[in-house]
Amino acid sequence: MAVQQIARHFGAEGGAAILRNPVSGALQTLGWGDPGGGWDDKTISAFLDLERPALPRGVIMAPILIGGRAAGVMVLRRRQGEFEPGSGRRLARLCRKVAHEAALREERRVNRVVDQIKDKTVRELRPKDLFYQILHGLRTLTRYDHSSAILIAEEDAARLVLHAEQIAWMKKKSDRIGRRFRVPLELRAALRRSTSIRTVSFGRTKRAVTGGPAAGARADGAHDPEAVARLLRWGGRENEPAEGTILWAPLHHDGDLLGVLKIAARRPGAFGAAEAAWVDRVVRHIASVIHNARRALSMEERIIDAEKKHAMADLARAISHDVKNAIGAILPLAQQAREEVETGAAVPEVLAQDLLQIEQSAQICQRIFDGMLQLARSESRAAVSAPLSKVLEGTLAILGTRMKRSGVALELKIPDDLPEVRAGRGGLEQLFLNLFTNALDSMAAGGRLRVQARAAGPNLEVRIADTGSGIPPEQLKRIHEPFYTTKTEGFGLGLAICRSILWENGGDMSIDSQPGKGTVVAVTLPVARKEGHDERGAARGVGKAAPSAAARADA
């Protein structure tokens, strides 16, 4: 619209606004009428660099300056005759009006993006999701075309650990997550004191051009921002393009260095004072939410660890009765059999029967302890895939005897062709152990526990239904609250741990309950991807026929 109005005002036959992407440097031409030619890239680049090149007859140009940087050039052309003297100055004044309007629109965009970043990151997110929400918002804000990253400082800035990296130029997850970068001794103090956002441009030569701090930033101890940028410049290897410009910002909270934020573009000089000022508007908020998320995660880990210890103690008390009964049956039978053999009064039939009972009691103990050892060992395994039947068998090896003693009948319906789930076995065993324990606690006088599983598209749905006492509506509203419990012992974090396990594995859980009728828990888990015929999942027996419900109930 501006090109059209200005061209008509000057009586030009055509015109164009040639805009330069501030990050990539790509040119975009918005023409009107018959702009024709009469200029080349060299002339346009000279105007964008605020030079005054010679122009052919019938052509006038003026730069469009936004934030002190040439965002584009306005070009007008006449085929017949020349423009009146002073037309270039008048065009420059009109371009300032256009630039002012464009700057207002850009400021509104920046305000909107800043508000979106703050709104999305103020929610309760795990650090990993929070980091990528931040990086995604910063890409919208700065339009970077190389990458961005969040590095967390360790050991008083002796190391920077890469916790998140978003690569803009390819659709691939970064394989550098977890990588540690040692900070040279001479940079540590300066990095801890640094409070300014810096931009460093790497040209074709080895020498780098360093930008100053953002507007309004305090002077700090980062005397060598180029050295910090070189530490963060890990691109340029193999097929990966090198960073032409790096904008880095220290993340501080209450005077302590949390880490460093890196934003990179391919083109040298892509970032300037404007981008630094935009990032400066959100960097304190980013540091605050990162600090709160990491603090909450640390607190949650300590609480869950305490809950696990309590759960193991409670489990030990629960199974001690079964183990004591089993051993109590073994000892007198073994003693009596030994006496009968020594005195010669042993009857083979009676001895065989006693030995069978001893064997059965020992198998009970073995199943209990094998299940507990399997649960403990599975905690350290990576989350790959797990067959649901094996997970349930490991859990039932611990709780099966208690179910029989409590008079709880088990109905287990799992299709033979059920795919594996994408989750860690140890976490799933803990998940179902918590859910089954809750169900048994609600059926103190006996009942029926139904466990059904079915494939539902890319997910697997497991329904656990009991015929227990149920949960009143006022309590059902609060069961997801941490520390809320109706039991005399415990921290009230059993379901919080279950949700945490499901969240880590991309699952979900819903609970429906009616007082006096029972409770139904629906668990959704993602199906494991099949990456090859010779994967470990096949070796573990994927696709084998699941044991019958009766056989598993006997377990």
Side-chain angles (χ1 to χ4, degrees):
M1 180 60 68
V3 173
Q4 178 185 16
Q5 295 296 327
I6 292 174
R8 287 177 175 174
H9 173 74
F10 281 92
E13 297 171 357
I18 303 174
L19 307 179
R20 180 167 65 181
N21 186 301
V23 175
S24 67
L27 299 179
Q28 179 186 14
T29 300
L30 304 176
W32 176 83
D34 182 19
W39 59 83
D40 53 22
D41 292 345
K42 183 178 179 180
T43 304
I44 296 300
S45 297
F47 256 87
L48 288 171
D49 294 335
L50 304 183
E51 299 174 3
R52 295 291 182 182
L55 299 177
R57 291 184 178 183
V59 175
I60 56 174
M61 292 186 184
I64 303 173
L65 302 177
I66 301 177
R69 183 166 55 187
V73 173
M74 184 77 73
V75 184
L76 299 181
R77 182 176 179 276
R78 282 182 179 176
R79 290 186 178 275
Q80 302 294 330
E82 298 181 3
F83 289 94
E84 294 78 7
S87 295
R89 291 191 295 273
R90 286 163 43 210
L91 178 61
R93 289 198 298 270
L94 290 173
C95 284
R96 286 197 290 272
K97 295 289 186 181
V98 173
H100 177 70
E101 176 62 27
L104 292 177
R105 293 170 184 259
E106 181 70 352
E107 181 65 20
R108 288 196 291 268
R109 183 193 74 85
V110 170
N111 291 338
R112 183 175 65 255
V113 175
V114 167
D115 290 341
Q116 289 174 353
I117 292 175
K118 292 182 177 180
D119 178 62
K120 290 183 178 180
T121 57
V122 79
R123 303 170 186 173
E124 294 183 4
L125 296 173
R126 296 257 173 168
K128 182 179 179 181
D129 285 333
L130 174 65
F131 291 165
Y132 283 102
Q133 282 284 3
I134 292 170
L135 298 183
H136 178 72
L138 290 174
R139 186 177 185 187
T140 306
L141 183 65
T142 64
R143 303 186 180 98
Y144 66 83
D145 62 352
H146 189 279
S147 61
S148 64
I150 293 177
L151 299 97
I152 300 300
E154 290 185 351
E155 297 183 6
D156 202 19
R159 287 197 308 267
L160 293 175
V161 182
L162 184 63
H163 278 243
E165 182 181 22
Q166 186 177 69
I167 302 176
W169 55 274
M170 65 176 181
K171 296 180 180 180
K172 177 184 175 183
K173 289 185 178 180
S174 173
D175 56 1
R176 287 185 285 257
I177 301 303
R179 186 173 174 182
R180 286 170 166 78
F181 301 88
R182 188 183 67 84
V183 180
L185 185 62
E186 62 273 13
L187 280 181
R188 296 173 190 175
L191 189 58
R192 289 194 298 267
R193 292 195 303 268
S194 177
T195 57
S196 298
I197 298 171
R198 302 281 182 163
T199 58
V200 178
S201 181
F202 296 91
R204 293 183 179 179
T205 62
K206 293 183 179 180
R207 184 177 180 84
V209 180
T210 304
R218 302 189 304 273
D220 55 36
H223 300 296
D224 195 2
E226 179 186 337
V228 178
R230 286 198 302 268
L231 179 66
L232 303 176
R233 194 186 191 207
W234 50 69
R237 297 174 178 86
E238 296 180 355
N239 296 326
E240 181 178 6
E243 299 93 331
T245 306
I246 289 180
L247 182 152
W248 65 268
L251 300 173
H252 288 277
H253 186 271
D254 289 341
D256 296 328
L257 180 69
L258 295 179
V260 176
L261 172 67
K262 169 195 172 182
I263 304 174
R266 297 190 192 189
R267 189 175 66 87
F271 298 142
E275 286 79 12
W278 299 342
V279 175
D280 187 59
R281 293 177 57 179
V282 295
V283 69
R284 292 176 182 83
H285 172 80
I286 289 172
S288 178
V289 296
I290 288 177
H291 169 78
N292 292 336
R294 287 171 59 82
R295 181 183 177 186
L297 180 62
S298 177
M299 184 180 298
E300 178 185 342
E301 288 174 347
R302 291 196 299 269
I303 293 172
I304 289 178
D305 186 58
E307 176 68 13
K308 286 180 179 179
K309 291 179 180 178
H310 172 81
M312 291 303 294
D314 186 54
L315 181 61
R317 287 193 295 269
I319 67 172
S320 62
H321 178 77
D322 299 327
V323 174
K324 185 177 180 181
N325 286 344
I327 295 177
I330 290 174
L331 283 176
L333 288 173
Q335 292 170 351
Q336 182 179 352
R338 180 177 56 82
E339 291 178 359
E340 291 177 351
V341 170
E342 290 176 350
T343 59
V347 178
E349 292 80 6
V350 176
L351 183 60
Q353 187 175 2
D354 291 343
L355 289 175
L356 178 60
Q357 189 172 352
I358 290 173
E359 181 182 358
Q360 292 174 346
S361 298
Q363 287 175 347
I364 291 174
C365 294
Q366 184 180 18
R367 282 198 299 267
I368 291 173
F369 290 120
D370 283 348
M372 293 186 68
L373 286 174
Q374 187 180 41
L375 180 62
R377 290 169 181 166
S378 299
E379 290 296 328
S380 59
R381 295 178 184 174
V384 282
S385 61
L388 184 64
S389 60
K390 300 294 184 183
V391 172
L392 294 177
E393 286 171 5
T395 308
L396 293 175
I398 300 175
L399 298 177
T401 305
R402 179 185 172 185
M403 290 184 187
K404 286 187 177 182
R405 189 179 68 249
S406 301
V408 175
L410 175 65
E411 291 184 6
L412 192 60
K413 296 183 179 179
I414 301 180
D416 294 343
D417 58 349
L418 202 65
E420 290 189 346
V421 292
R422 189 177 73 247
R425 182 163 180 167
L428 290 184
E429 287 175 338
Q430 184 180 358
L431 165 71
F432 288 113
L433 182 64
N434 285 353
L435 296 179
F436 289 156
T437 300
N438 288 344
L440 293 178
D441 289 343
S442 70
M443 296 185 290
R448 187 174 298 277
L449 180 64
R450 297 184 179 91
V451 181
Q452 297 176 323
R454 68 181 183 91
N459 297 319
L460 182 69
E461 185 185 66
V462 181
R463 294 178 65 86
I464 303 171
D466 65 64
T467 58
S469 57
I471 307 173
E474 62 274 9
Q475 294 180 4
L476 188 62
K477 296 178 181 178
R478 302 188 58 191
I479 59 174
H480 292 291
E481 298 178 12
F483 306 109
Y484 177 76
T485 180
T486 58
K487 300 179 181 180
T488 57
E489 297 180 355
F491 293 102
L493 287 174
L495 289 177
I497 293 175
C498 292
R499 290 199 310 275
S500 177
I501 294 171
L502 289 169
W503 185 90
E504 291 175 354
N505 293 285
D508 198 5
M509 178 176 65
S510 64
I511 301 177
D512 183 25
S513 184
Q514 296 182 14
K517 294 184 178 180
T519 303
V520 178
V521 179
V523 173
T524 302
L525 291 162
V527 174
R529 297 193 182 111
K530 295 181 179 179
E531 298 182 358
H533 179 73
D534 57 347
E535 289 292 317
R536 286 184 305 230
R540 287 195 301 268
V542 179
K544 292 181 180 180
S548 65
R552 284 195 291 267
D554 290 340

